[in-house]
Amino acid sequence: MLVSCSLSLSFGSHINNMKAGNETQISQFLLLGLSEEPELQPFLFGLFLSMYLVTVLGNLLIILVTISDCHLHTPMYFFLSNLSFIDICFVSTTVPKMLVNIQTQSRVITYAGCITQMCFFIFFAGLDIFMLTVMAYDRFVAICHPLHYTVTMNPRLCGLLVLASWIMSALNSSLQSLIVLRLSFCTDLEIPHFFCELNQVVHLACSDTFLNDMVMYLASALLGGGALSGILYSYSKIVSSIRGTSSAQGKYKAFSTCASHLSVVSLFYGTLLGVYFSSAATRNSHSSAAASVMYTVVTPMLNPFIYSLRNKDIKRALVRFLWRKTLKGSIFLQLKKCP
């Protein structure tokens, strides 16, 4: 993915060098952030630093637990560990730059840095959506076809599903970035956001953005809408299967296996659609930026808590993991005390 974004940027730089001399060649943008009030900056720095650390440590703990515990070496937790890794990368594309800008009291981001950040943001956002869709398919097979689950969700298919998600996300982010690089920008270079959001950057251009808008809406409809349709279809089949189960205990067990994933999907898509509709209704860029914190920062932060609090397997694995680490630490301290 790093190679893909770098190639897109290099190709775009070549295009920019070939443009006519009367077009403005820019070197930087200004990120206005969530607030321009100086007294709010220390509060925002502390808040976002705390949320970033909780996000990274929480998702890293999920990854370590799923790797170290043999009971969690199943397709469901393989996809969960991938989702946790994606969430760490997703939040790391935006928050560190925001923290640096607050700390240095600078709003500047270079043109290359902005395009790179945008490329990685689109990539990991798309990857997040694809991974949630793959996890919905995994739950569909587990509940609707339990006897064929181990055969269907074999390691080869799981690897191919993850690989396909990475490839489609990389193609989408590379395409979106390349068509942004063809745009010309005028003197208004202020982005009313805390990161280089695609729609905001495109609408700063003084050249024709029809192609960008069409690709943006088409990608949202095909990738976002298609993924959501797949999730809804999977859960419609899951609900039908659960309703056909006569045992109350069987219904509870079937529902509990997908409750965490359903909560994460509802949180991610709910906040994403909420931001979209609220920004379309208010036309207030700062309100849209504040609302986008929900799906860019809050959702990745809450995912580990949702899976650890609602999933008995994860809770037991966490206890075993922490117990082993505590035991090893106490043994090490005792050995150090020995002469």
Side-chain angles (χ1 to χ4, degrees):
M1 186 54 216
L2 180 60
V3 174
S4 176
C5 287
S6 299
L7 288 175
S8 299
L9 189 57
S10 299
F11 182 69
S13 300
H14 180 65
I15 292 176
N16 285 337
N17 292 333
M18 295 174 64
K19 286 181 179 178
N22 61 345
E23 292 181 345
T24 306
Q25 299 296 315
I26 64 165
S27 60
Q28 63 186 30
F29 290 100
L30 294 177
L31 294 172
L32 299 185
L34 295 174
S35 174
E36 298 181 42
E37 299 293 332
E39 61 271 14
L40 283 178
Q41 301 310 307
F43 170 74
L44 290 174
F45 181 83
L47 177 65
F48 278 87
L49 178 61
S50 301
M51 289 195 294
Y52 179 69
L53 292 176
V54 169
T55 302
V56 172
L57 294 175
N59 283 287
L60 187 60
L61 186 60
I62 293 291
I63 294 171
L64 292 174
V65 167
T66 53
I67 291 174
S68 63
D69 198 303
C70 61
H71 298 92
L72 301 182
H73 292 175
T74 62
M76 174 182 174
Y77 297 109
F78 169 70
F79 296 133
L80 175 58
S81 61
N82 275 272
L83 180 67
S84 294
F85 174 73
I86 293 163
D87 281 340
I88 291 173
C89 297
F90 183 46
V91 77
S92 296
T93 60
T94 57
V95 176
K97 177 58 180 174
M98 178 190 182
L99 294 175
V100 169
N101 284 0
I102 293 174
Q103 188 66 20
T104 59
Q105 299 181 357
S106 170
R107 301 175 185 172
V108 173
I109 184 170
T110 63
Y111 177 80
C114 185
I115 299 299
T116 303
Q117 185 187 60
M118 184 176 63
C119 182
F120 277 104
F121 180 83
I122 297 169
F123 172 69
F124 287 115
L127 199 51
D128 220 330
I129 291 171
F130 286 132
M131 196 53 56
L132 290 173
T133 309
V134 168
M135 293 173 76
Y137 174 71
D138 173 70
R139 292 299 85 207
F140 160 72
V141 176
I143 294 172
C144 299
H145 306 283
L147 298 178
H148 302 283
Y149 179 70
T150 54
V151 176
T152 303
M153 300 303 295
N154 57 73
R156 183 174 179 272
L157 178 64
C158 293
L160 287 174
L161 288 171
V162 172
L163 179 62
S165 300
W166 279 74
I167 291 173
M168 287 190 290
S169 297
L171 291 174
N172 175 50
S173 63
S174 299
L175 175 62
Q176 299 275 15
S177 302
L178 278 172
I179 60 174
V180 168
L181 289 167
R182 56 177 280 278
L183 297 175
S184 299
F185 296 89
C186 301
T187 54
D188 184 14
L189 302 176
E190 294 183 343
I191 301 174
H193 220 297
F194 64 93
F195 67 95
C196 289
E197 198 265 335
L198 175 63
N199 191 48
Q200 298 285 352
V201 174
V202 167
H203 289 121
L204 286 179
C206 52
S207 55
D208 183 33
T209 61
F210 176 76
L211 177 62
N212 298 79
D213 291 331
M214 288 300 296
V215 172
M216 202 187 312
Y217 295 138
L218 189 63
S220 299
L222 290 178
L223 301 182
L228 182 59
S229 299
I231 292 172
L232 293 176
Y233 174 79
S234 296
Y235 274 104
S236 68
K237 292 295 184 180
I238 288 171
V239 170
S240 298
S241 179
I242 291 175
R243 288 180 63 186
T245 305
S246 56
S247 169
Q249 185 178 359
K251 289 182 179 180
Y252 174 77
K253 185 178 180 181
F255 178 75
S256 63
T257 60
C258 56
S260 299
H261 177 258
L262 187 58
S263 300
V264 171
V265 169
S266 301
L267 183 63
F268 183 81
Y269 272 100
T271 54
L272 189 62
L273 294 173
V275 168
Y276 174 77
F277 288 118
S278 65
S279 61
T282 62
R283 301 288 181 182
N284 189 320
S285 299
H286 280 291
S287 298
S288 175
S292 66
V293 172
M294 289 300 296
Y295 75 89
T296 56
V297 183
V298 176
T299 300
M301 180 183 71
L302 292 180
N303 285 355
F305 294 100
I306 293 172
Y307 275 101
S308 60
L309 293 175
R310 299 184 65 91
N311 190 301
K312 292 181 180 179
D313 292 335
I314 289 288
K315 283 194 285 189
R316 284 195 289 262
L318 274 171
V319 171
R320 287 193 293 266
F321 178 79
L322 294 174
W323 172 251
R324 285 198 300 268
K325 292 299 178 184
T326 305
L327 189 63
K328 286 180 180 178
S330 61
I331 292 172
F332 178 74
L333 288 174
Q334 288 178 1
L335 289 174
K336 284 187 69 177
K337 291 179 181 178
C338 294

